[in-house]
Amino acid sequence: MIKKGLKVKILTGKDRSKEGEIIEIDRANYRAKVKELNMVKKHVKTTKEKKGGIISKENFIHISNLKLVDEKKKAKKIEAKK
């Protein structure tokens, strides 16, 4: 099961084979946001509180395109080689 805070690897798309941490999940649409991956440009209008312009932010990725990364297995593989 994919949860917020877990480390995942992206299987398809422009960020294929990169790893990151899940920061948000949309369970109704089976999508998740991964920290600093699948970045898109967003045009933001100026308001009294915020300055406008073009900002970069994470976009959702379908859960089927993500794979959990098990940190424990990686550690064991590294130790076994030594």
Side-chain angles (χ1 to χ4, degrees), residues 29-44:
N29 296 317
Y30 304 103
R31 296 182 173 271
K33 280 187 186 178
V34 181
K35 189 175 187 179
E36 297 180 11
L37 294 177
N38 197 28
M39 300 297 283
V40 293
K41 301 283 186 183
K42 178 81 175 160
H43 293 258
V44 179

Side-chain angles (χ1 to χ4, degrees), residues 2 5 7 11 14 17 25 30 37-39 47 54-56 66 71 73 75 79-80:
I2 292 181
K7 196 152 186 143
L11 300 176
K14 64 182 181 183
S17 75
I25 295 179
Y30 304 103
L37 294 177
N38 197 28
M39 300 297 283
T47 64
I54 302 171
I55 62 165
S56 292
L66 301 175
E71 296 296 324
K73 288 184 180 179
E79 290 174 14

Side-chain angles (χ1 to χ4, degrees), residues 43-66:
H43 293 258
V44 179
K45 196 171 186 179
T46 304
T47 64
K48 289 181 181 178
E49 296 85 31
K50 296 181 189 175
K51 184 179 176 188
I54 302 171
I55 62 165
S56 292
K57 64 178 217 170
E58 296 93 357
N59 202 7
F60 283 101
I61 304 169
H62 199 270
I63 290 177
S64 67
N65 297 326
L66 301 175

